[in-house]
Amino acid sequence: MAVTQRVTEDGRRATDGVRDRGGEARALDRILVRVSNWLGDALLARPLLHALRRAHPRAEIRAVAPAPLAALLASDPVVDHWEPWPAGSDARRALGRALRAFRPDAALVLPPSFSSAWFAWRSGAAIRVGFAHEGRGVLLTRSMRRVARGERHLSDEYLDLGRALGIEETAVPLLEPRADAVRAARALLDARGVRSRRIAILGPGAAYGPAKCWGEARFAELGAALARDGWSVLVCGAPAERNTAETVARGAGAASRVLAGDTDLETQAALCALAGLAVCNDSGLAHLAAAVGAPTVAIFGSTSSAWTAPLGPRVRVIQRAPVCSPCFERTCRIGYRCMTAIGVDDALAACRAVAS
């Protein structure tokens, strides 16, 4: 079922004109956006979505993303309907039929996969814009070449796609968790005995692989140092990161609590909004904390902070790139020098600076 967020005041749709690559004027009453399946990439699409709404204030915008991301991003008042991306092939075909009935005038395809471009083509949109990748240019009416990773921030790359529909960059507010998610977060803190208003979140996991992980021992040492500074430490992450979180919490001491796997995405966003500090690997959790306005320290290893640094008002990136970085590898055969070069003192100094 679609998540409905915004309707126009009078229910009517105005025509917002753009020109396709042949110079023909087209009215954009209905716009479809396929958002990434990754949390960080989806949050980096927020500047595009806000710019799209500003450029086409009365068009109906539908966006497609996995259900947890759709629910999270529905708190942004810029998309009319969020369509959860289903897991099964039959459900995906049903969604395709529903969106074809929606009759989009234009489709923006943010993921670089062939299947995403095929999905946009099947929607029947006359204008289909995406990156040239995997030989899918035949499915797009405007196929844009991507520069090398890191030459432009990913949010700017998404904006480049949107410029084909006449958008201009606009200010992006903080992502505000829904009231029920904030209540759930407060209840969870009460249940775990966290009474302090000085909350620090540690995110020692990263789905990408060990080349993005700073290490359990370093996170534990940092957590202990933050506890000595008066912080209550919450070790957060996905259910698969529970063991890592427990190891970090044991090392950080009695002031720490393990919440990895105990929250859904919206409750985790609310926890981040209540926190005064978040320290994470280059992960979706870092992007989430930054998006809701938490002072955020993001630790980068094999990937490029120039490409995917979290967006937020108070973000500090730590990266000690060796000559081989960024390699974008998930694992390393020469000892993860990009991570071992970052000391606990480096991270603690960044925490004190960003949270001051």
Side-chain angles (χ1 to χ4, degrees), residues 45-123:
R46 291 184 66 233
L48 166 66
L49 296 175
H50 279 265
L52 195 61
R53 170 52 66 205
R54 182 169 182 176
H56 304 284
R58 303 184 69 190
E60 183 173 355
I61 300 175
R62 293 195 178 193
V64 178
L69 300 186
L72 175 72
L73 292 172
S75 62
D76 256 348
V78 291
V79 171
D80 296 285
H81 303 280
W82 278 97
E83 303 284 359
W85 179 248
S89 58
D90 289 344
R92 289 180 183 176
R93 282 192 288 270
L95 174 60
R97 289 192 296 270
L99 292 177
R100 190 171 183 85
F102 169 56
R103 295 182 295 110
D105 299 304
L108 291 176
V109 185
L110 307 193
S113 64
F114 186 90
S115 61
S116 296
W118 174 260
F119 178 76
W121 182 80
R122 291 281 295 168
S123 76

Side-chain angles (χ1 to χ4, degrees), residues 214 222 279-280 282 296-301 305 315-321 338-339 341-351:
W214 190 41
L222 176 63
V279 188
C280 310
D282 170 24
T296 302
V297 175
I299 302 173
F300 272 72
S305 58
V315 175
R316 183 69 61 94
V317 170
I318 306 177
Q319 187 162 27
R320 303 284 184 267
C338 51
M339 283 301 193
I342 300 171
V344 174
D345 289 344
D346 298 323
L348 187 59
C351 291

Side-chain angles (χ1 to χ4, degrees), residues 225-257:
L226 291 173
R228 290 192 295 271
D229 280 355
W231 294 92
S232 292
V233 177
L234 308 180
V235 191
C236 298
E241 297 161 356
R242 180 80 183 192
N243 290 340
T244 295
E246 289 176 344
T247 299
V248 170
R250 283 195 298 270
S256 64
R257 301 287 187 275

